Amino acid sequence: MANLYVTAVPPVDLNKNTEWFMYPGVWTTYILILFFSWLLVLSIFGCSPGMGWTIVNLAHFCVTYQFFHWKKGTPFAEDQGIYNGLTWWEQVDNGKQLTRNRKFLTVVPVVLYLIASHTTDYQHPMLFFNTLAVIVLVIAKFPNMHKVRIFGINADT
Amino acid sequence: MIAIPYLAALTTYFSYGLLFAFGQIRDFFRKILDWSGSNNLQGYAPICVAHEDFYVRRLYLRIQDCFGRPITSAPDAWFDVVERYSNDNNKTLKRTTNISRCLNLGSYNYLGFAAADEYCTPRVIESLRKYSPSTCSSRVDAGTTALHNELEKCVADFVGKPAAIVFGMGYVTNSAILPVLIGKGGLIISDSLNHNSIVNGARGSGATIRVFQHNTPSHLEEVLREQLAEGQPRTHRPWKKIMVIVEGIYSMEGDLCKLPEIIAICKKYKAYIYLDEAHSIGAVGKTGKGVCELLGVDTADVDIMMGTFTKSFGSCGGYIAGSKELIQYLKYTCPAHLYATSISPPAAEQIKSSIKVILGEDGSNRGPQKLAQIRENSNFFRSELQKMGFEVIGDDDSPVVPIMLYNPAKIPAFSRECLKQNVAVVMVAFPATPLLLARVRVCISASHTKEDLVKALKVFDQVGDLVGIKYFPAEPDKEQEEDKIVKLD
């Protein structure tokens, strides 16, 4: 396993905040983090697998909404604030829509939703929260929502 | 093209995720704890947006002791590093009066001119007495001495161009020249790994910027064709000027530019080419004249050649070399020439003397010796490291030797362990390099002796085993193989 090498071609992206997403291994790491967090939740709370997936789904919703669609700008000052009005989702791939990365990131919440609702046997109240999470996340990732601020929430001052 | 072990890539992403998560949690609690305290802003806006300095506060400050170490001697092959300690987990560092003598593997001292030199230093002191440390004026007012004119002629002859203009600072050379050369309606196509000074100059110029994949002439051609066909944004008029910017040796990768192919493409599509030889002038090529000499490119084919004197000449400042008309135009328009203080006379004398030494005009053959020494040193060091199993990137003959680390925790580990054994190295991490690709950047100098390099290799071997960065299989020792053969008999 240690001898498996991947070649990394430096991508043509000047934005250091999103450039790391174009290297090999990101998708696998994302999926592995979700899987291991499910195991962690099961060990800590000792709940049923379905409840575990629901907790993972809702935590995933909070974390990805905060960092992909709420936080704007970059965590360093070298780019002199040219991305200060854009969320991470709007910065990825230089604003180009419907790239492979964006399609993958849109599919992950849907797959999580399917797993969570299946393992909880579609019971309420888990189903309600799971559905809410997936609807918000998928709509936030639509190409038509690029730079849209509903009711001026999170707009620049 | 860097080959990353897959497991290293996964663990690196996970480590950065963990560091990021911890930073966010600490920020969250800090915000709650500071909620009750009064803010003494008095109606002013805060200096930086809340999370703009997140990287500096939560990631960089943790390993702050590996960067910015103060030194108290000239940056020769061995130098004195001031020891520092911290009482609050690296948030603030305090200097002590202890110094440790360390092997210098970080300074851009390619030809060994960084410390006192038997030919250059007496002349520099003489010019210090004659001209004093500063001209106290810009070039156009009263800051042009005979020294400055001689220096410009000397540099133009050395580089192989009709004329040259010299500035007091290397970074400023790029960031003040590019806005003058190209403006709105022009197109700048720059390599994706170009230095920050070029990026800043390009952004300041107002031209449209496109980036092509690092050192890939085929992608450059693709981008050029696409942009030529599309024309200026929105109006689709033809571009006023197209400039392709590349570097001779890339300082973080140590690889040489594919200059002949790129020049062929630029000629085909009639684009100007701007070559930044900051790290390659004086360090590569048979007589030290840079990548053009090394790769057999005629200097008349490169429209604008830029370089700095900080690396191989042991001085400070930068130059632009080009045709007489270009330099004349720059002297009328460039703000760094019109308003900035001219280059300090002793620094100019250092450059002139070191160029004379390199060309052998001082009467000895120290220049060719130094050039041969640095080539030998770099090739020896690189091949030994590769034999030990390290992942070393960069081309042969390049004095910049980066060793890949990847995981963020290995950055301070390698740095601190090496410092304990009196070897000082420079670590490069995000955001100077891509997130995944943190590395140790070793700069080989002509003043490193074979013993110095062997000591460095021993230390790297030990520390590399401790930190776990030998990602490639090591080549077995020849002696062990011979033993095995004997035993079978």
Side-chain angles (χ1 to χ4, degrees), chain A residues 4-10 12 14 16 19-20 23-26 28-29 67 71-72 74-78, chain B residues 1-6 10 13 20 24 51-52 54-55 211 213 219 430-437 471-472:
Chain A
L4 214 71
Y5 295 104
V6 282
T7 47
V9 181
V12 184
L14 279 179
K16 295 270 177 182
E19 186 222 19
W20 59 273
Y23 279 84
V26 192
T28 314
T29 312
F67 292 116
K71 268 261 169 77
K72 295 195 287 198
T74 52
F76 38 78
E78 274 86 18
Chain B
M1 220 56 68
I2 301 178
I4 313 176
Y6 200 57
L10 296 182
Y13 284 126
F20 189 76
Q24 295 288 338
H51 50 269
E52 202 176 61
F54 174 80
Y55 174 75
V211 170
Q213 240 170 44
H219 193 241
F430 186 76
T433 61
L435 187 76
L436 255 191
L437 308 174
Y471 295 117
F472 284 176

Tab-separated table of all heavy atoms in Angstrom, chain A residues 4-10 12 14 16 19-20 23-26 28-29 67 71-72 74-78, chain B residues 1-6 10 13 20 24 51-52 54-55 211 213 219 430-437 471-472:
chain	number	residue	atom	x	y	z
A	4	LEU	N	2.154	2.567	-3.461
A	4	LEU	CA	1.248	3.059	-4.496
A	4	LEU	C	1.505	4.546	-4.665
A	4	LEU	O	1.343	5.300	-3.731
A	4	LEU	CB	-0.193	2.849	-4.010
A	4	LEU	CG	-1.238	2.518	-5.040
A	4	LEU	CD1	-1.018	1.115	-5.533
A	4	LEU	CD2	-2.611	2.596	-4.414
A	5	TYR	N	1.925	4.968	-5.848
A	5	TYR	CA	2.228	6.376	-6.059
A	5	TYR	C	1.218	6.991	-6.993
A	5	TYR	O	0.740	6.347	-7.916
A	5	TYR	CB	3.627	6.547	-6.659
A	5	TYR	CG	4.737	6.112	-5.734
A	5	TYR	CD1	5.408	4.915	-5.934
A	5	TYR	CD2	5.106	6.894	-4.657
A	5	TYR	CE1	6.403	4.515	-5.096
A	5	TYR	CE2	6.116	6.496	-3.812
A	5	TYR	CZ	6.762	5.308	-4.028
A	5	TYR	OH	7.761	4.908	-3.194
A	6	VAL	N	0.890	8.252	-6.770
A	6	VAL	CA	0.061	9.002	-7.713
A	6	VAL	C	0.870	10.194	-8.173
A	6	VAL	O	1.633	10.755	-7.407
A	6	VAL	CB	-1.240	9.518	-7.057
A	6	VAL	CG1	-2.243	8.427	-6.945
A	6	VAL	CG2	-0.960	10.117	-5.714
A	7	THR	N	0.724	10.577	-9.431
A	7	THR	CA	1.452	11.763	-9.874
A	7	THR	C	0.577	12.981	-9.666
A	7	THR	O	-0.619	12.947	-9.914
A	7	THR	CB	1.818	11.676	-11.362
A	7	THR	OG1	0.672	11.273	-12.065
A	7	THR	CG2	2.946	10.724	-11.603
A	8	ALA	N	1.215	14.025	-9.192
A	8	ALA	CA	0.484	15.262	-8.938
A	8	ALA	C	0.931	16.298	-9.952
A	8	ALA	O	2.105	16.648	-10.010
A	8	ALA	CB	0.782	15.760	-7.538
A	9	VAL	N	0.002	16.759	-10.767
A	9	VAL	CA	0.319	17.834	-11.702
A	9	VAL	C	-0.175	19.128	-11.074
A	9	VAL	O	-1.356	19.215	-10.737
A	9	VAL	CB	-0.390	17.601	-13.046
A	9	VAL	CG1	-0.047	18.695	-14.010
A	9	VAL	CG2	-0.019	16.245	-13.592
A	10	PRO	N	0.681	20.123	-10.905
A	10	PRO	CA	0.203	21.352	-10.258
A	10	PRO	C	-0.924	21.972	-11.078
A	10	PRO	O	-0.756	22.225	-12.271
A	10	PRO	CB	1.425	22.277	-10.251
A	10	PRO	CG	2.573	21.468	-10.630
A	10	PRO	CD	2.107	20.197	-11.225
A	12	VAL	N	-3.841	24.609	-12.568
A	12	VAL	CA	-3.730	25.983	-13.022
A	12	VAL	C	-4.710	26.825	-12.224
A	12	VAL	O	-5.660	27.333	-12.766
A	12	VAL	CB	-4.063	26.036	-14.521
A	12	VAL	CG1	-3.877	27.411	-15.058
A	12	VAL	CG2	-3.188	25.069	-15.264
A	14	LEU	N	-4.875	29.909	-9.355
A	14	LEU	CA	-4.074	30.830	-8.558
A	14	LEU	C	-4.614	30.973	-7.144
A	14	LEU	O	-3.950	31.510	-6.293
A	14	LEU	CB	-4.056	32.209	-9.219
A	14	LEU	CG	-3.071	32.348	-10.361
A	14	LEU	CD1	-3.162	33.742	-10.930
A	14	LEU	CD2	-1.672	32.063	-9.890
A	16	LYS	N	-5.125	29.874	-3.725
A	16	LYS	CA	-4.584	28.822	-2.869
A	16	LYS	C	-5.639	28.224	-1.957
A	16	LYS	O	-5.435	27.171	-1.374
A	16	LYS	CB	-3.451	29.395	-2.004
A	16	LYS	CG	-2.265	29.835	-2.791
A	16	LYS	CD	-1.279	28.725	-2.957
A	16	LYS	CE	-0.127	29.190	-3.817
A	16	LYS	NZ	0.852	28.268	-4.108
A	19	GLU	N	-7.148	25.498	-4.413
A	19	GLU	CA	-6.260	24.721	-5.278
A	19	GLU	C	-6.026	23.332	-4.707
A	19	GLU	O	-5.840	22.366	-5.449
A	19	GLU	CB	-4.962	25.512	-5.403
A	19	GLU	CG	-3.991	24.953	-6.359
A	19	GLU	CD	-2.616	25.020	-5.777
A	19	GLU	OE1	-2.533	25.157	-4.547
A	19	GLU	OE2	-1.652	24.945	-6.539
A	20	TRP	N	-6.063	23.194	-3.371
A	20	TRP	CA	-5.738	21.895	-2.790
A	20	TRP	C	-6.768	20.839	-3.152
A	20	TRP	O	-6.511	19.642	-3.033
A	20	TRP	CB	-5.655	22.027	-1.265
A	20	TRP	CG	-6.896	22.520	-0.620
A	20	TRP	CD1	-7.256	23.828	-0.424
A	20	TRP	CD2	-7.963	21.748	-0.091
A	20	TRP	NE1	-8.468	23.887	0.204
A	20	TRP	CE2	-8.927	22.630	0.419
A	20	TRP	CE3	-8.193	20.377	0.022
A	20	TRP	CZ2	-10.102	22.190	1.001
A	20	TRP	CZ3	-9.362	19.948	0.617
A	20	TRP	CH2	-10.304	20.854	1.092
A	23	TYR	N	-6.004	18.069	-6.192
A	23	TYR	CA	-4.964	17.058	-6.157
A	23	TYR	C	-5.589	15.686	-5.926
A	23	TYR	O	-6.688	15.582	-5.403
A	23	TYR	CB	-3.971	17.374	-5.028
A	23	TYR	CG	-2.977	18.412	-5.429
A	23	TYR	CD1	-3.266	19.761	-5.329
A	23	TYR	CD2	-1.743	18.039	-5.930
A	23	TYR	CE1	-2.352	20.707	-5.703
A	23	TYR	CE2	-0.820	18.987	-6.298
A	23	TYR	CZ	-1.127	20.316	-6.195
A	23	TYR	OH	-0.215	21.246	-6.575
A	24	PRO	N	-4.872	14.613	-6.296
A	24	PRO	CA	-5.436	13.280	-6.101
A	24	PRO	C	-5.557	12.940	-4.623
A	24	PRO	O	-4.753	13.368	-3.814
A	24	PRO	CB	-4.426	12.359	-6.785
A	24	PRO	CG	-3.171	13.124	-6.825
A	24	PRO	CD	-3.557	14.560	-6.945
A	25	GLY	N	-6.566	12.184	-4.275
A	25	GLY	CA	-6.715	11.709	-2.899
A	25	GLY	C	-7.739	12.472	-2.083
A	25	GLY	O	-8.076	12.055	-0.984
A	26	VAL	N	-8.253	13.603	-2.611
A	26	VAL	CA	-9.174	14.406	-1.792
A	26	VAL	C	-10.508	13.696	-1.615
A	26	VAL	O	-11.049	13.624	-0.517
A	26	VAL	CB	-9.446	15.774	-2.440
A	26	VAL	CG1	-10.132	16.681	-1.464
A	26	VAL	CG2	-8.167	16.389	-2.888
A	28	THR	N	-11.231	10.549	-1.794
A	28	THR	CA	-11.106	9.373	-0.927
A	28	THR	C	-11.021	9.792	0.528
A	28	THR	O	-11.660	9.189	1.400
A	28	THR	CB	-9.841	8.578	-1.294
A	28	THR	OG1	-9.795	8.440	-2.701
A	28	THR	CG2	-9.843	7.236	-0.631
A	29	THR	N	-10.254	10.866	0.796
A	29	THR	CA	-10.127	11.320	2.179
A	29	THR	C	-11.476	11.762	2.725
A	29	THR	O	-11.829	11.442	3.868
A	29	THR	CB	-9.142	12.496	2.273
A	29	THR	OG1	-7.962	12.170	1.567
A	29	THR	CG2	-8.810	12.819	3.697
A	67	PHE	N	-18.678	26.004	6.134
A	67	PHE	CA	-17.415	26.270	5.457
A	67	PHE	C	-17.539	26.414	3.957
A	67	PHE	O	-16.726	27.074	3.345
A	67	PHE	CB	-16.392	25.188	5.796
A	67	PHE	CG	-15.973	25.247	7.222
A	67	PHE	CD1	-16.241	24.204	8.079
A	67	PHE	CD2	-15.345	26.364	7.721
A	67	PHE	CE1	-15.874	24.272	9.401
A	67	PHE	CE2	-14.980	26.453	9.040
A	67	PHE	CZ	-15.247	25.396	9.883
A	71	LYS	N	-18.980	30.900	5.164
A	71	LYS	CA	-17.721	31.636	5.330
A	71	LYS	C	-17.273	32.185	3.978
A	71	LYS	O	-17.227	31.467	2.983
A	71	LYS	CB	-16.618	30.688	5.825
A	71	LYS	CG	-16.472	30.633	7.324
A	71	LYS	CD	-15.339	31.519	7.788
A	71	LYS	CE	-15.316	31.711	9.283
A	71	LYS	NZ	-14.768	30.525	9.958
A	72	LYS	N	-16.919	33.500	3.974
A	72	LYS	CA	-16.482	34.069	2.708
A	72	LYS	C	-15.004	34.428	2.787
A	72	LYS	O	-14.463	34.670	3.864
A	72	LYS	CB	-17.297	35.330	2.406
A	72	LYS	CG	-18.749	35.002	2.178
A	72	LYS	CD	-19.467	36.133	1.531
A	72	LYS	CE	-19.661	37.253	2.528
A	72	LYS	NZ	-20.698	38.175	2.101
A	74	THR	N	-10.762	34.066	2.187
A	74	THR	CA	-9.724	33.041	2.325
A	74	THR	C	-9.079	33.180	3.704
A	74	THR	O	-9.035	34.266	4.251
A	74	THR	CB	-8.643	33.241	1.253
A	74	THR	OG1	-8.196	34.592	1.305
A	74	THR	CG2	-9.178	32.958	-0.124
A	75	PRO	N	-8.527	32.085	4.257
A	75	PRO	CA	-7.947	32.181	5.604
A	75	PRO	C	-6.543	32.768	5.654
A	75	PRO	O	-5.843	32.617	6.636
A	75	PRO	CB	-7.934	30.727	6.080
A	75	PRO	CG	-7.892	29.929	4.864
A	75	PRO	CD	-8.624	30.690	3.807
A	76	PHE	N	-6.116	33.423	4.585
A	76	PHE	CA	-4.819	34.076	4.636
A	76	PHE	C	-4.925	35.398	3.883
A	76	PHE	O	-5.856	35.611	3.125
A	76	PHE	CB	-3.715	33.199	4.029
A	76	PHE	CG	-4.167	32.443	2.828
A	76	PHE	CD1	-4.284	33.062	1.600
A	76	PHE	CD2	-4.511	31.104	2.937
A	76	PHE	CE1	-4.729	32.363	0.499
A	76	PHE	CE2	-4.949	30.403	1.844
A	76	PHE	CZ	-5.057	31.033	0.625
A	77	ALA	N	-3.963	36.270	4.108
A	77	ALA	CA	-4.095	37.632	3.589
A	77	ALA	C	-3.302	37.889	2.320
A	77	ALA	O	-3.373	38.971	1.768
A	77	ALA	CB	-3.656	38.626	4.666
A	78	GLU	N	-2.572	36.889	1.811
A	78	GLU	CA	-1.674	37.149	0.674
A	78	GLU	C	-2.383	37.544	-0.601
A	78	GLU	O	-1.797	38.175	-1.456
A	78	GLU	CB	-0.818	35.910	0.370
A	78	GLU	CG	0.446	35.828	1.195
A	78	GLU	CD	0.178	35.162	2.519
A	78	GLU	OE1	-0.866	34.487	2.617
A	78	GLU	OE2	0.992	35.314	3.433
B	1	MET	N	6.177	17.203	-12.324
B	1	MET	CA	5.490	15.928	-12.084
B	1	MET	C	6.027	15.311	-10.797
B	1	MET	O	7.160	14.868	-10.722
B	1	MET	CB	5.770	15.012	-13.265
B	1	MET	CG	4.602	14.207	-13.699
B	1	MET	SD	3.152	15.173	-14.121
B	1	MET	CE	3.659	16.000	-15.587
B	2	ILE	N	5.230	15.328	-9.766
B	2	ILE	CA	5.687	14.817	-8.469
B	2	ILE	C	4.909	13.545	-8.172
B	2	ILE	O	3.691	13.513	-8.270
B	2	ILE	CB	5.408	15.864	-7.365
B	2	ILE	CG1	6.137	17.149	-7.721
B	2	ILE	CG2	5.840	15.347	-6.030
B	2	ILE	CD1	5.888	18.250	-6.745
B	3	ALA	N	5.612	12.489	-7.784
B	3	ALA	CA	4.942	11.221	-7.464
B	3	ALA	C	4.701	11.164	-5.969
B	3	ALA	O	5.633	11.080	-5.183
B	3	ALA	CB	5.811	10.050	-7.911
B	4	ILE	N	3.437	11.265	-5.558
B	4	ILE	CA	3.104	11.241	-4.134
B	4	ILE	C	2.657	9.847	-3.752
B	4	ILE	O	1.793	9.283	-4.417
B	4	ILE	CB	1.939	12.201	-3.829
B	4	ILE	CG1	2.161	13.551	-4.490
B	4	ILE	CG2	1.754	12.363	-2.356
B	4	ILE	CD1	0.997	14.478	-4.281
B	5	PRO	N	3.213	9.274	-2.684
B	5	PRO	CA	2.651	8.008	-2.195
B	5	PRO	C	1.228	8.251	-1.742
B	5	PRO	O	0.957	9.213	-1.023
B	5	PRO	CB	3.551	7.641	-1.008
B	5	PRO	CG	4.732	8.501	-1.116
B	5	PRO	CD	4.366	9.707	-1.895
B	6	TYR	N	0.301	7.393	-2.146
B	6	TYR	CA	-1.117	7.633	-1.933
B	6	TYR	C	-1.448	7.789	-0.461
B	6	TYR	O	-2.209	8.648	-0.044
B	6	TYR	CB	-1.912	6.486	-2.545
B	6	TYR	CG	-3.339	6.845	-2.816
B	6	TYR	CD1	-3.665	7.913	-3.628
B	6	TYR	CD2	-4.377	6.122	-2.260
B	6	TYR	CE1	-4.963	8.253	-3.886
B	6	TYR	CE2	-5.688	6.443	-2.513
B	6	TYR	CZ	-5.974	7.516	-3.325
B	6	TYR	OH	-7.272	7.838	-3.578
B	10	LEU	N	-3.341	10.893	1.612
B	10	LEU	CA	-4.526	10.774	2.472
B	10	LEU	C	-4.232	11.295	3.870
B	10	LEU	O	-5.012	12.055	4.456
B	10	LEU	CB	-4.981	9.312	2.555
B	10	LEU	CG	-5.466	8.664	1.267
B	10	LEU	CD1	-5.908	7.246	1.547
B	10	LEU	CD2	-6.616	9.437	0.657
B	13	TYR	N	-4.018	15.181	3.958
B	13	TYR	CA	-5.319	15.850	3.974
B	13	TYR	C	-5.963	15.738	5.349
B	13	TYR	O	-6.516	16.696	5.887
B	13	TYR	CB	-6.263	15.210	2.954
B	13	TYR	CG	-5.976	15.585	1.542
B	13	TYR	CD1	-5.773	14.614	0.587
B	13	TYR	CD2	-5.919	16.908	1.156
B	13	TYR	CE1	-5.501	14.939	-0.713
B	13	TYR	CE2	-5.647	17.241	-0.141
B	13	TYR	CZ	-5.437	16.260	-1.076
B	13	TYR	OH	-5.164	16.588	-2.366
B	20	PHE	N	-7.112	22.271	10.988
B	20	PHE	CA	-8.128	23.261	10.682
B	20	PHE	C	-9.260	23.188	11.694
B	20	PHE	O	-9.710	24.206	12.232
B	20	PHE	CB	-8.646	22.982	9.268
B	20	PHE	CG	-9.540	24.031	8.721
B	20	PHE	CD1	-9.029	25.229	8.268
B	20	PHE	CD2	-10.908	23.823	8.641
B	20	PHE	CE1	-9.858	26.199	7.747
B	20	PHE	CE2	-11.728	24.784	8.122
B	20	PHE	CZ	-11.214	25.970	7.676
B	24	GLN	N	-10.494	26.038	14.321
B	24	GLN	CA	-11.854	26.581	14.361
B	24	GLN	C	-12.458	26.473	15.749
B	24	GLN	O	-13.113	27.398	16.239
B	24	GLN	CB	-12.744	25.835	13.359
B	24	GLN	CG	-12.360	26.024	11.924
B	24	GLN	CD	-12.677	27.411	11.414
B	24	GLN	OE1	-13.529	28.108	11.956
B	24	GLN	NE2	-11.988	27.832	10.391
B	51	HIS	N	-11.549	36.169	9.844
B	51	HIS	CA	-10.852	34.918	9.594
B	51	HIS	C	-9.765	35.049	8.545
B	51	HIS	O	-9.256	34.067	8.058
B	51	HIS	CB	-11.853	33.846	9.163
B	51	HIS	CG	-12.743	34.311	8.070
B	51	HIS	ND1	-13.943	34.920	8.319
B	51	HIS	CD2	-12.619	34.280	6.739
B	51	HIS	CE1	-14.517	35.234	7.178
B	51	HIS	NE2	-13.734	34.863	6.195
B	52	GLU	N	-9.388	36.282	8.207
B	52	GLU	CA	-8.349	36.455	7.180
B	52	GLU	C	-7.000	36.032	7.708
B	52	GLU	O	-6.135	35.593	6.972
B	52	GLU	CB	-8.293	37.928	6.798
B	52	GLU	CG	-7.686	38.197	5.463
B	52	GLU	CD	-7.777	39.666	5.137
B	52	GLU	OE1	-7.206	40.470	5.876
B	52	GLU	OE2	-8.463	39.993	4.164
B	54	PHE	N	-6.600	33.606	9.920
B	54	PHE	CA	-6.768	32.307	10.548
B	54	PHE	C	-5.532	31.444	10.341
B	54	PHE	O	-5.025	30.812	11.263
B	54	PHE	CB	-7.999	31.602	9.962
B	54	PHE	CG	-8.166	30.205	10.446
B	54	PHE	CD1	-8.718	29.966	11.680
B	54	PHE	CD2	-7.755	29.127	9.689
B	54	PHE	CE1	-8.862	28.676	12.151
B	54	PHE	CE2	-7.891	27.841	10.153
B	54	PHE	CZ	-8.451	27.617	11.384
B	55	TYR	N	-5.029	31.422	9.106
B	55	TYR	CA	-3.892	30.547	8.823
B	55	TYR	C	-2.697	30.952	9.672
B	55	TYR	O	-2.008	30.112	10.254
B	55	TYR	CB	-3.535	30.616	7.338
B	55	TYR	CG	-2.290	29.858	7.036
B	55	TYR	CD1	-2.295	28.480	6.989
B	55	TYR	CD2	-1.085	30.511	6.844
B	55	TYR	CE1	-1.147	27.779	6.764
B	55	TYR	CE2	0.066	29.806	6.620
B	55	TYR	CZ	0.028	28.441	6.578
B	55	TYR	OH	1.168	27.745	6.359
B	211	VAL	N	-3.096	31.721	-16.847
B	211	VAL	CA	-2.029	30.914	-16.286
B	211	VAL	C	-1.934	29.613	-17.073
B	211	VAL	O	-2.952	29.037	-17.440
B	211	VAL	CB	-2.345	30.625	-14.804
B	211	VAL	CG1	-1.414	29.612	-14.234
B	211	VAL	CG2	-2.260	31.900	-14.014
B	213	GLN	N	-0.156	25.616	-17.307
B	213	GLN	CA	0.374	24.578	-16.423
B	213	GLN	C	1.888	24.647	-16.375
B	213	GLN	O	2.535	24.797	-17.409
B	213	GLN	CB	-0.035	23.209	-16.968
B	213	GLN	CG	-0.868	22.414	-16.012
B	213	GLN	CD	-1.438	21.207	-16.708
B	213	GLN	OE1	-0.716	20.543	-17.441
B	213	GLN	NE2	-2.704	20.953	-16.510
B	219	HIS	N	0.522	23.050	-23.123
B	219	HIS	CA	-0.599	23.780	-22.547
B	219	HIS	C	-0.479	25.269	-22.826
B	219	HIS	O	-1.483	25.957	-23.036
B	219	HIS	CB	-0.672	23.535	-21.031
B	219	HIS	CG	-1.951	23.989	-20.431
B	219	HIS	ND1	-2.023	24.952	-19.452
B	219	HIS	CD2	-3.237	23.655	-20.691
B	219	HIS	CE1	-3.285	25.166	-19.137
B	219	HIS	NE2	-4.034	24.389	-19.872
B	430	PHE	N	2.551	25.569	2.873
B	430	PHE	CA	1.435	26.381	2.433
B	430	PHE	C	1.533	27.742	3.090
B	430	PHE	O	1.879	27.810	4.249
B	430	PHE	CB	0.173	25.642	2.866
B	430	PHE	CG	-1.098	26.234	2.381
B	430	PHE	CD1	-1.493	26.075	1.079
B	430	PHE	CD2	-1.919	26.937	3.237
B	430	PHE	CE1	-2.675	26.597	0.630
B	430	PHE	CE2	-3.104	27.466	2.790
B	430	PHE	CZ	-3.492	27.290	1.490
B	431	PRO	N	1.190	28.876	2.488
B	431	PRO	CA	0.760	29.025	1.089
B	431	PRO	C	1.841	29.304	0.066
B	431	PRO	O	1.495	29.619	-1.053
B	431	PRO	CB	-0.181	30.236	1.212
B	431	PRO	CG	0.356	31.041	2.333
B	431	PRO	CD	1.061	30.116	3.254
B	432	ALA	N	3.111	29.179	0.385
B	432	ALA	CA	4.121	29.368	-0.666
B	432	ALA	C	4.100	28.201	-1.651
B	432	ALA	O	4.390	28.356	-2.827
B	432	ALA	CB	5.509	29.496	-0.051
B	433	THR	N	3.786	27.012	-1.160
B	433	THR	CA	3.667	25.849	-2.039
B	433	THR	C	2.231	25.346	-1.940
B	433	THR	O	1.510	25.739	-1.033
B	433	THR	CB	4.587	24.719	-1.559
B	433	THR	OG1	4.184	24.346	-0.251
B	433	THR	CG2	6.020	25.157	-1.530
B	434	PRO	N	1.798	24.460	-2.821
B	434	PRO	CA	0.461	23.876	-2.678
B	434	PRO	C	0.306	23.178	-1.339
B	434	PRO	O	1.288	22.778	-0.717
B	434	PRO	CB	0.387	22.864	-3.825
B	434	PRO	CG	1.393	23.307	-4.800
B	434	PRO	CD	2.468	23.998	-4.042
B	435	LEU	N	-0.924	22.998	-0.920
B	435	LEU	CA	-1.194	22.494	0.427
B	435	LEU	C	-0.514	21.156	0.703
B	435	LEU	O	0.105	20.941	1.729
B	435	LEU	CB	-2.714	22.334	0.597
B	435	LEU	CG	-3.151	21.972	2.008
B	435	LEU	CD1	-3.068	23.176	2.889
B	435	LEU	CD2	-4.562	21.441	1.992
B	436	LEU	N	-0.625	20.241	-0.273
B	436	LEU	CA	-0.111	18.891	-0.065
B	436	LEU	C	1.403	18.842	-0.038
B	436	LEU	O	1.992	17.980	0.585
B	436	LEU	CB	-0.544	18.016	-1.250
B	436	LEU	CG	-1.661	17.017	-1.102
B	436	LEU	CD1	-1.678	16.128	-2.318
B	436	LEU	CD2	-1.492	16.183	0.126
B	437	LEU	N	2.031	19.755	-0.786
B	437	LEU	CA	3.433	19.539	-1.156
B	437	LEU	C	4.395	20.356	-0.301
B	437	LEU	O	5.177	21.134	-0.827
B	437	LEU	CB	3.626	19.879	-2.634
B	437	LEU	CG	2.646	19.183	-3.569
B	437	LEU	CD1	2.821	19.707	-4.983
B	437	LEU	CD2	2.878	17.698	-3.570
B	471	TYR	N	10.354	8.184	1.055
B	471	TYR	CA	9.202	7.608	0.378
B	471	TYR	C	9.571	6.654	-0.742
B	471	TYR	O	8.761	5.855	-1.171
B	471	TYR	CB	8.334	8.736	-0.203
B	471	TYR	CG	7.717	9.604	0.857
B	471	TYR	CD1	8.040	10.942	0.941
B	471	TYR	CD2	6.812	9.086	1.768
B	471	TYR	CE1	7.474	11.748	1.904
B	471	TYR	CE2	6.248	9.885	2.724
B	471	TYR	CZ	6.581	11.218	2.785
B	471	TYR	OH	6.009	12.015	3.732
B	472	PHE	N	10.781	6.778	-1.240
B	472	PHE	CA	11.192	5.887	-2.330
B	472	PHE	C	12.095	4.809	-1.753
B	472	PHE	O	12.749	5.009	-0.737
B	472	PHE	CB	11.951	6.672	-3.395
B	472	PHE	CG	11.067	7.505	-4.269
B	472	PHE	CD1	11.611	8.350	-5.226
B	472	PHE	CD2	9.690	7.463	-4.159
B	472	PHE	CE1	10.800	9.117	-6.031
B	472	PHE	CE2	8.880	8.233	-4.956
B	472	PHE	CZ	9.449	9.062	-5.897
